[in-house]
Amino acid sequence: MLLTFTEENYLKAIFKITERAVKVASTNMVAEQVNTSAASVTDMLKKLSDKGYINYEKYKGATLSPTGVKVATQLIRKHRLWEVFLHDKLKFPWEQVHEIAEQLEHINSDDLISRLDNFLGNPRFDPHGDPIPNSEGKFMLRNQTSLDMVHSGQRVLVVGVTQHSVDFLKYLNQLKVKLGTAFKVMAVTDYDKSITLEKDGAETLTITHQVAKNLLVKFQK
């Protein structure tokens, strides 16, 4: 059964909400994710439920059915592969690829996506550090934590961001922080939890607690 672009976006939104330790996506959560009114969300959830893509209970919210999970993960796979292509091959900066990939993800060709995956060398993570599901919908997991959980003296490598807004990514560009940037945590301020970092063994910078919460890192020896 063919889905409209809007229906696909709803399934992807529910997937993203419920993958974050939230068991059920409420109407308000979905409305915020897709930037529309709660009334419009209710109508769409009923429609998707009737088609068998979600399990929906009034006043409680929605979860994806197995069919819905399959559709959502394939959308995410296409989106993140297109982001890799745009960033690595066409040299778009990481703050621009999301919006373009939002359009490209709706192209309905399994053969195209398979060829794209092979052409890119079967990448496992996109330019923001998000995992790319394989053709079976399986994600690669890795040990990572947000920078605000790291203590003074520890060495870390930036592997992802949880905030994809253009403003945030441009701010990281100004700080010269990107995936693969290595830091040593020099100090964590008690008052506001701001963090002083040493970059490349010399340059230091201080970032706010809010920025640190949105940077994913893995530990280094």
Side-chain angles (χ1 to χ4, degrees):
M1 184 184 299
L2 291 177
L3 292 164
T4 66
F5 290 2
T6 300
E7 289 171 333
E8 289 183 337
N9 287 336
Y10 269 78
L11 294 178
K12 189 174 68 169
I14 294 169
F15 182 92
K16 288 184 175 181
I17 293 168
T18 55
E19 74 174 341
R20 303 192 305 256
V22 177
K23 293 183 180 180
V24 180
S26 71
T27 301
N28 288 335
M29 289 176 182
V30 178
E32 182 178 358
Q33 189 78 25
V34 300
N35 193 28
T36 191
S37 68
S40 297
V41 169
T42 298
D43 291 341
M44 179 59 75
L45 294 183
K46 291 177 181 177
K47 187 176 180 181
L48 291 171
S49 179
D50 290 341
K51 290 185 175 184
Y53 289 100
I54 68 170
N55 305 304
Y56 172 64
E57 190 172 349
K58 191 175 181 180
Y59 304 123
K60 290 189 177 180
T63 59
L64 295 175
S65 68
T67 302
V69 170
K70 183 176 180 180
V71 172
T73 53
Q74 288 308 305
L75 279 169
I76 290 169
R77 169 175 164 78
K78 289 187 287 184
H79 181 100
R80 293 176 181 174
L81 283 172
W82 282 122
E83 285 195 341
V84 174
F85 175 74
L86 293 165
H87 182 267
D88 292 3
K89 302 302 180 181
L90 300 186
K91 306 305 178 184
F92 279 88
W94 67 341
E95 70 269 17
Q96 292 183 12
V97 297
H98 177 75
E99 184 176 349
I100 303 171
E102 284 281 292
Q103 302 170 56
L104 293 171
E105 70 183 30
H106 297 289
I107 296 174
N108 190 22
S109 172
D110 292 340
D111 186 42
L112 171 62
I113 298 307
S114 178
R115 289 172 183 246
L116 179 63
D117 191 16
N118 290 332
F119 173 70
L120 295 171
N122 309 115
R124 297 280 65 91
F125 298 92
D126 74 9
H128 306 113
D130 293 320
I132 301 172
N134 63 19
S135 57
E136 284 77 43
K138 304 295 184 183
F139 292 82
M140 176 178 286
L141 301 178
R142 65 183 169 198
N143 290 323
Q144 62 186 31
T145 188
S146 56
L147 183 56
D148 65 311
M149 302 301 292
V150 178
H151 301 294
S152 179
Q154 292 180 312
R155 297 180 183 274
V156 296
L157 187 74
V158 178
V159 295
V161 293
T162 60
Q163 167 65 261
H164 295 177
S165 73
V166 172
D167 288 343
F168 179 68
L169 296 176
K170 283 185 174 181
Y171 179 66
L172 293 183
N173 289 341
Q174 293 174 12
L175 296 178
K176 297 181 181 179
V177 174
K178 59 184 180 180
L179 301 194
T181 301
F183 291 117
K184 179 180 179 181
V185 178
M186 304 302 293
V188 179
T189 305
D190 290 336
Y191 173 66
D192 61 0
K193 304 301 179 185
S194 59
I195 301 176
T196 300
L197 303 165
E198 182 183 77
K199 180 182 175 184
D200 301 325
E203 182 182 357
T204 62
L205 71 153
T206 300
I207 62 172
T208 66
H209 181 248
Q210 186 63 33
V211 171
K213 283 170 56 179
N214 288 291
L215 285 176
L216 296 174
V217 299
K218 68 178 182 180
F219 293 105
Q220 291 190 302
K221 296 182 179 179

